[in-house]
Amino acid sequence: MITSLALLATASAGHAQTEVTRVGLALSGGSARGFAHVGVIEVLEEHGLQVDLVTGTSMGSVVGGLYAMGYTPEMLRDVSSEIDWSRVFNDRPERRNLPIERKSDDGRYVVALPMNGVVPTLPSSIMEGQRISQLLTALTWPAHAVTDFALLPKPFGAVATAVDSGSAVPLRGGYLPEAIRASLAIPGVFAPVEIDGRLLIDGGISRNLPAQDAGEMGADWIICSDVSEPLASQDSLDNLAKILNQTVAYRMWERTLAQRELCDILIVTSVPSSLSTGFDRAEEIIEYGRVSAEAVLDSLRAAGIDLAPASAFRPRSGSSWEPAAEVVQLSSIQIDGIDRQSRSTILRTLKLDPGSTVSPADVDRAVSRVYDSGLFTSVWYRLEPARTSRPADPAPDRATADPESVVMAVELRERKQNRLGASYRYDGRYKASILANAEFRNLLLAGSFLRADLRLGEQARFAVDFGKRWGWSAAPMLALRFDNNQMPFDIFINGERVSEPDVRSTSIRGLAGLGFGYDTFLGVEFGFENVNSEPAPLAEDWTAGDQDFATLAGLAAIDRWDRARFPRRGWQLLAKTLWADESIGGSDFSQYVLDLQGVIPVTERIGILGRATIGTTDGDDLPSNYLFFVGGAQQYQLYRDRHFPFYGLRVNEQRGRHLQAGMLGLQWEFLPELFAQVRGNAAALPEEWEWDDDAFFGGWGLTLGAWTQFGSAALTVAGEDFSDWPRVEIDVGFPF
């Protein structure tokens, strides 16, 4: 239901428009309900009511700030409805921007906590707010150099709340996107923003409707658009969460009622609670605002406001402020806030050259690359007019500024805290597993990482990695890894499982090579390994006992998946050649593996899946865990270069010294983050490396899956052919 209310503070003719010199518009906070302000602005402008100044709180500061700097109602509608808000409210790095050595961590943890030394602590918020900061910075390009918000086409003021006192903090100058970001720093969701030494959070806590601010800025007539959610009725308070929320809302509602008394015209838009977080339904919410504004037009006329016919709005004239061009030329790039990282590394990551012409999208992608590197908790930037000399006053000087040439000032905050992560998974074969991870940065070398994994379950593992990369283009990489794992292997003969021997492997490996960009690695690996296999008496190809050996491997890896699970596009390549020589160890064998898989998008929601794998082994001393195994619908992580999924077979159901396999399928994202996959595969594991059509066997699989912030879930129905009853497999959680 939509309701509106017009309160006339003064009904006398003395408040007629002839005596009103400045009209102020105050926009309240209200999460996604704030899109209704766009509808209100549309109606006011269509009827010729010209706003002279704007104030806003939280979401009202977003709409109000953009409106004040020159956005038209049409532009505000486009911003509201066309932005992918789900991406804005998610600081998770884009996988394409992760260095290849970090891509395996993508989508791996259900929770990650910062550590104070070695003690885990609670973070200040769910997310830093990097993406929302980037969005606001991109949207406010033309106003970056305006440090006094009174100089905008419509003077503007935002409201935030001081963390230490809970008092309202008016923000009427400074850096516009930073002020807006502080005003909407929802406690617990977005990290607080520090401005002039004060830590600030969402202004809705102290003054959700900034009518008072409009008056203080000189408004003679105040129009308020309020989308605040009123207190819940007694009948609806039927659970603990609602009651706790109500106790927090008392003071906020009391303050909002006091601010309403300051409004000459009050437009209240009651948006259903179901739309409070409906950022993907902006068009619908905007219409609620339009209806509410249209309902007060008669009240405006009764108050002496002379309204013109619809669509008769006359643009404001006489403003000295001019919007910047859609593209600008970079004069130089300034970088502040770095301690352990080098300026040259950051410049290479930005990939922006002084003298080049860039758009908001170019700069946003560059900033994302720096943030997604994982080295920084926040990356801010601002564009300032290029000058021959920088004056002490940061306000724009149009006499000396070149409007086509700008300085890009980048402010970084290095990620200095260590991290403790945890994750879980469940699958039909190995049941429940949990993962604990600790990561330490810059422990021995600047830019280095030390990571320890402890996996508990039937597949058990303890691993420690130390690594360092120098740069982001063709950059040297070094890593050292200790790995101890134990897992049961299923031994099948003629389709029947005959034993389940455990294999324990302990290894130390050193890795050196070159990382190319974010997705490619070429290098060599030298290692020592001990393998202890329990016997499997009926399996002639199984090597039991204790083996020590040294290995030398050449590696080539490319990872261009857009995400770890249910990728929509991209491909992966692993090529590995490995030799073990008895002169430096107890075993003599070699192995070669080439695995290529990818997704080719056909439409926005449909993609073709494909995979081709070949592997061959030579030598008589092959350890048991170096056999190729196929079977099961899931990719297991312990031996990714030797264990491969195969739809229609049970886990480990087929094994051999040589492997030839292929898969082809189709993926359909029928709803956001809900997937259907159908796949067919064929493979052969010949005793000798040769191609024999008769040696191939096949299978099929149908998967229904979902991807959420709590992990993925997949249900697979698979079989060798269509004559037998298919098997059902379940996989829930995170890949590790």
Side-chain angles (χ1 to χ4, degrees):
M1 177 180 180
I2 302 175
T3 63
S4 63
L5 175 65
L7 296 181
L8 306 182
T10 304
S12 66
H15 236 66
Q17 190 181 17
T18 56
E19 295 186 13
V20 174
T21 57
R22 289 171 68 82
V23 174
L25 178 63
L27 307 178
S28 77
S31 194
R33 300 189 304 274
F35 290 137
H37 297 318
V38 178
V40 170
I41 293 171
E42 284 183 347
V43 171
L44 295 180
E45 289 214 353
E46 287 171 3
H47 289 271
L49 194 151
Q50 185 165 306
V51 172
D52 295 287
L53 61 90
V54 186
T55 59
T57 297
S58 196
M59 195 63 181
S61 74
V62 178
V63 176
L66 298 180
Y67 182 47
M69 62 174 281
Y71 275 66
T72 66
E74 293 79 12
M75 295 165 67
L76 290 173
R77 181 180 282 265
D78 290 343
V79 168
S80 303
S81 58
E82 294 181 6
I83 287 175
D84 182 2
W85 293 96
S86 64
R87 182 71 187 99
V88 171
F89 295 134
N90 186 346
D91 278 352
R92 187 171 60 86
E94 295 185 34
R95 197 170 193 274
R96 65 180 180 180
N97 292 336
L98 291 175
I100 189 168
E101 65 270 21
R102 288 188 58 220
K103 289 185 188 291
S104 60
D105 288 342
D106 180 47
R108 194 174 182 226
Y109 306 110
V110 66
V111 63
L113 299 175
M115 289 193 292
N116 183 8
V118 296
V119 179
T121 62
L122 289 177
S124 62
S125 60
I126 295 175
M127 67 187 81
E128 183 67 29
Q130 173 67 27
R131 301 301 182 198
I132 189 67
S133 297
Q134 283 182 235
L135 173 64
L136 295 172
T137 306
L139 292 175
T140 57
W141 259 40
H144 280 199
V146 180
T147 57
D148 182 354
F149 302 161
L151 299 179
L152 294 170
K154 294 178 175 60
F156 173 68
V159 177
T161 301
V163 171
D164 57 351
S165 65
S167 59
V169 179
L171 300 172
R172 299 170 191 169
Y175 182 40
L176 183 60
E178 185 179 50
I180 297 173
R181 166 69 177 81
S183 182
L184 57 76
I186 304 171
V189 178
F190 295 127
V193 176
E194 184 176 344
I195 298 179
D196 296 332
R198 302 191 71 179
L199 209 56
L200 305 179
I201 57 174
D202 194 307
I205 303 298
S206 57
R207 189 152 64 234
N208 197 49
L209 180 61
Q212 172 183 334
D213 301 85
E216 292 173 353
M217 290 173 60
D220 303 297
W221 190 274
I222 302 173
I223 300 174
C224 299
S225 177
D226 190 4
V227 296
S228 303
E229 193 165 16
L231 295 175
S233 64
Q234 177 175 306
D235 293 342
S236 65
L237 297 173
D238 53 4
N239 61 53
L240 176 62
K242 291 181 180 180
I243 293 174
L244 290 176
N245 183 67
Q246 183 88 334
T247 61
V248 174
Y250 290 145
R251 290 297 304 277
M252 292 177 58
W253 183 244
E254 180 183 345
R255 291 166 178 166
T256 297
L257 292 179
Q259 290 296 310
R260 285 185 176 185
E261 293 295 327
L262 303 177
C263 302
D264 295 285
I265 297 293
L266 175 62
I267 303 171
V268 176
T269 303
S270 296
V271 180
S273 297
S274 60
L275 293 180
S276 293
T277 57
F279 287 91
D280 59 339
R281 300 170 67 179
E283 291 283 351
E284 184 179 347
I285 298 172
I286 290 172
E287 293 308 311
Y288 278 89
R290 287 191 60 89
V291 174
S292 295
E294 288 168 352
V296 304
L297 293 177
D298 289 341
S299 297
L300 286 167
R301 295 187 183 97
I305 302 295
D306 184 18
L307 298 180
S311 303
F313 172 66
R314 297 178 297 279
R316 176 188 178 93
S317 61
S319 172
S320 61
W321 181 87
E322 297 176 1
E326 292 184 1
V327 296
V328 296
Q329 186 178 51
L330 289 182
S331 170
S332 61
I333 301 175
Q334 299 174 353
I335 298 175
D336 295 314
I338 56 174
D339 179 19
R340 293 178 175 270
Q341 309 305 323
S342 70
R343 184 176 185 274
S344 59
T345 297
I346 296 165
L347 289 175
R348 286 197 299 269
T349 307
L350 284 170
K351 298 181 182 178
L352 298 176
D353 299 319
S356 63
T357 300
V358 297
S359 68
D362 296 330
V363 177
D364 189 69
R365 284 192 292 268
V367 170
S368 288
R369 285 193 294 269
V370 176
Y371 173 75
D372 292 347
S373 69
L375 301 175
F376 307 98
T377 57
S378 65
V379 183
W380 282 86
Y381 77 93
R382 67 189 301 169
L383 304 178
E384 302 173 343
R387 299 176 176 84
T388 55
S389 62
R390 298 185 65 184
D393 181 4
D397 181 353
R398 293 189 175 274
T400 59
D402 180 357
E404 296 183 355
S405 182
V406 300
V407 174
M408 180 179 176
V410 182
E411 180 69 32
L412 304 168
R413 191 168 73 188
E414 291 186 343
R415 188 184 299 276
K416 297 181 179 180
Q417 287 182 309
N418 302 320
R419 185 186 68 178
L420 180 67
S423 195
Y424 76 96
R425 67 171 290 114
Y426 176 87
D427 66 83
R429 168 58 186 91
Y430 294 108
K431 309 307 179 186
S433 300
I434 60 174
L435 173 70
N437 163 273
E439 183 174 304
F440 303 88
R441 292 185 174 273
N442 307 308
L443 191 62
L444 299 177
L445 296 171
S448 68
F449 67 87
L450 177 66
R451 182 172 52 212
D453 282 351
L454 175 63
R455 172 176 177 154
L456 301 177
E458 288 194 55
Q459 290 183 313
R461 170 179 247 175
F462 176 69
V464 179
D465 294 272
F466 176 79
K468 163 72 176 174
R469 176 173 179 163
W470 288 265
W472 302 107
S473 49
M477 295 174 57
L478 292 175
L480 185 66
R481 179 182 182 89
F482 169 80
D483 195 345
N484 178 271
N485 59 67
Q486 180 177 355
M487 66 169 284
F489 282 72
D490 294 328
I491 304 300
F492 287 84
I493 296 180
N494 297 325
E496 297 293 331
R497 187 166 65 179
V498 296
S499 60
E500 188 182 334
D502 272 358
V503 174
R504 180 185 294 276
S505 171
T506 303
S507 65
I508 298 177
R509 303 182 188 278
L511 184 70
L514 289 176
F516 296 89
Y518 295 89
D519 49 36
T520 303
F521 172 79
L522 296 175
V524 295
E525 180 185 76
F526 182 78
F528 295 92
E529 186 170 356
N530 169 265
V531 174
N532 192 313
S533 303
E534 292 182 346
L538 300 179
E540 296 180 357
D541 57 351
W542 186 261
T543 303
D546 198 72
Q547 292 176 272
D548 296 300
F549 52 93
T551 60
L552 177 65
L555 297 172
I558 301 175
D559 187 335
R560 294 186 177 176
W561 284 138
D562 62 344
R563 64 182 188 183
R565 195 74 193 274
F566 299 114
R568 298 183 177 99
R569 63 181 67 243
W571 55 284
Q572 278 187 336
L573 172 70
L574 173 65
K576 182 176 182 179
T577 61
L578 180 144
W579 303 274
D581 192 280
E582 60 183 0
S583 62
I584 54 175
S587 299
D588 189 0
F589 66 93
S590 60
Q591 190 169 73
Y592 309 88
V593 181
L594 178 63
D595 181 40
L596 174 65
Q597 53 183 322
V599 179
I600 301 174
V602 178
T603 68
E604 184 179 351
R605 295 186 175 274
I606 296 176
I608 297 174
L609 310 173
R611 186 168 191 170
T613 308
I614 57 174
T616 183
T617 309
D618 188 30
D620 297 328
D621 299 322
L622 187 69
S624 301
N625 60 331
Y626 276 80
L627 288 167
F628 293 111
F629 287 83
V630 298
Q634 310 306 325
Q635 175 71 66
Y636 291 99
Q637 307 295 311
L638 242 55
Y639 300 108
R640 287 184 60 91
D641 56 345
R642 302 192 288 278
H643 288 192
F644 301 96
F646 192 89
Y647 309 96
L649 296 180
R650 289 165 289 182
V651 177
N652 296 342
E653 188 167 346
Q654 294 283 359
R655 65 187 182 279
R657 296 167 59 89
H658 310 284
L659 172 64
Q660 303 155 356
M663 180 275 290
L664 190 63
L666 197 66
Q667 176 174 279
W668 174 34
E669 187 178 4
F670 56 92
L671 288 173
E673 308 295 352
L674 295 177
F675 298 85
Q677 299 173 327
V678 58
R679 289 165 289 199
N681 47 204
L685 292 106
E687 293 185 5
E688 301 292 336
W689 179 258
E690 59 181 13
W691 190 270
D692 182 359
D693 292 343
D694 295 333
F696 278 81
F697 50 88
W700 61 272
L702 173 63
T703 300
L704 294 178
W707 176 257
T708 74
Q709 61 181 338
F710 302 107
S712 62
L715 175 68
T716 300
V717 178
E720 295 182 66
D721 53 45
F722 294 100
S723 60
D724 297 327
W725 190 258
R727 300 184 182 91
V728 177
E729 295 188 38
I730 297 174
D731 181 80
V732 178
F734 294 81
F736 60 78

